[in-house]
């Protein structure tokens, strides 16, 4: 399949329309560390968050479709990382509930996630634990009348604005070993505290979540004890490729900024787009964007059919497109000279926003490591 089907083209169009609506206040929203009310209002009105929840719970499509999420993120991230993050986290923060939540939790939360009446979040990272998730220290245990969750999660997107967190912790299993379990913790549960100790170079709705002996009812368990990683993997398999879509949208936006500038700026008796290495910088960026887009759509289309079977392809798209966005946005700034460095300009914002993409949802090194393992296995098997 080399062209997007009509329904995806139309979703991309919807996303671009919403992005254009948000564009006048995107610079303000992208500096915010809490939900921007106008972005939220526009996203609600667009109805696009219904794409990240299955139809049975108020969603737009029968099941969550990775290609749909990916093209929407392409459209949104071209204008605003804040808007893109708000959209994407509704899916990433609720997919565990979709795949393995109890019926009571699904009915209580998913329709509200679809309409953005409830904000979702996923808590994996801890102050001392990132890529090496098996080292996490949050404890989960059954107690009389419920489940106790005790620990500290860090760098959690939507912390402070979320209505619930899916928390991954360690639990002693019946067989005597330790396993990893996912539990839904509503924000208003006693013992949940949110703090904002860090902000990053591209401001983000981000915070730490402390869970101080929090007790939730048993139906708040997501799946069986010890099955947490499997559920997190299903989430990654469905959503990782959508980061590639966001990176393609961001890179294209940066290239267009540079092209507009270079075509207008006159020096040495011509325009900048004809000078020295500038044509090659612009054209090679265009080539890289189109290559990344082709792999991204292919991987997302495969993930829409069978997310787990296509995880390597999704990982390739994620690492390929986010590394590409880093190069493209850097070249764009270089082409624009001092104008590319001005605080508050769109290109400066895109430059900062491209950077975290290579670290979250599987850092480039961690993805290369797992791809290399898969490659060696496939060639030597
Ligand atoms: C904007 C943003 C939003 C985030 N949102 C969330 C969220 O909602 N929920 C959540 O749980 N977490 C979230 N995170 C955290 C994110 O998942 C972690 O930053 C990520 O897992 C990497 O962990 P780390 O930062 O601790 O880096 P580390 O694990 O300390 O890694 C440091 C460096 O070492 C490299 N490295 C690590 N292991 C290996 C290896 N085996 N081989 C080679 N190199 C390696 C990494 O690639 C990286 O370059 C967010 C982070 C950011 C920046």
């Amino acid at each position: 399949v080399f062209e997007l089907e009509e329904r995806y083209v139309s979703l991309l169009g919807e996303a671009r329309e919403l992005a254009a609506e948000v564009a006048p206040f995107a610079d303000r929203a992208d500096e915010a560390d809490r939900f921007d009310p106008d972005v939220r209002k526009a996203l609600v009105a667009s109805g696009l968050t219904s794409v990240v929840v299955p139809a049975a719970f108020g969603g737009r499509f029968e099941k969550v479709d990775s290609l749909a999420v990916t093209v929407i993120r392409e459209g949104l991230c071209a204008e605003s990382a804040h808007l893109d993050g708000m959209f994407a986290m509704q899916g990433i923060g609720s997919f565990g509930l979709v795949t393995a939540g109890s019926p009571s939790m699904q009915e209580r939360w998913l329709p509200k996630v679809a309409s953005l009446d409830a904000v979702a979040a996923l808590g994996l990272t801890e102050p001392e634990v990132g890529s090496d998730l098996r080292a996490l220290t949050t404890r989960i245990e059954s107690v009389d009348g419920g489940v106790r969750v005790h620990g500290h999660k860090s760098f959690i997107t939507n912390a402070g604005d979320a209505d619930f967190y899916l928390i991954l912790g360690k639990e002693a299993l019946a067989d005597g070993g330790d396993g990893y379990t996912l539990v839904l913790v509503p924000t208003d549960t006693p013992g949940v505290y949110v703090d904002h100790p860090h902000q990053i170079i591209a401001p983000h709705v981000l915070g730490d979540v402390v869970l101080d002996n929090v007790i939730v009812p048993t139906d708040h368990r997501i799946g069986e004890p010890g099955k947490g990683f499997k559920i997190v993997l299903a989430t990654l398999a469905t959503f990782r490729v959508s980061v590639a879509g966001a990176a393609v949208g961001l890179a294209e936006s940066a290239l267009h900024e540079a092209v507009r500038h270079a075509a207008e700026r006159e020096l040495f008796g011509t325009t900048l787009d004809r000078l020295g290495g500038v044509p090659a910088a612009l054209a090679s960026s265009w080539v890289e964007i189109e290559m990344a887009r082709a792999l991204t759509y292919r991987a997302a289309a495969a993930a829409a059919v069978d997310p787990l079977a296509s995880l390597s392809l999704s990982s390739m798209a994620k690492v390929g497109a986010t590394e590409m966005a880093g190069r493209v946005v850097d070249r764009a700034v270089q082409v624009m000279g001092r104008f590319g460095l001005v605080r508050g300009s769109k290109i400066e914002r895109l430059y900062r926003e491209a950077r975290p993409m290579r670290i979250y949802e599987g850092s480039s090194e961690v993805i290369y490591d797992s791809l290399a393992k898969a490659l060696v296995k496939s060639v030597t098997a």
Side-chain angles (χ1 to χ4, degrees), residues 122 124-125 130-131 155-157 200 204 206 359-360 363 365-366:
L122 177 64
L124 311 176
T125 306
S131 310
F155 266 73
I156 305 307
T157 301
I200 62 171
H204 194 79
L206 201 64
I359 292 175
Y360 61 62
S363 67
E365 293 76 11
V366 168

Side-chain angles (χ1 to χ4, degrees), residues 28-60:
R28 179 194 76 209
D30 285 15
E31 285 297 317
D33 58 2
R34 301 299 300 267
F35 264 29
D36 183 280
D38 294 327
V39 171
R40 183 174 187 163
K41 209 188 295 169
L43 182 54
V44 168
S46 76
L48 278 175
T49 42
S50 64
V51 170
V52 300
V53 170
F57 304 106
R60 199 183 296 195

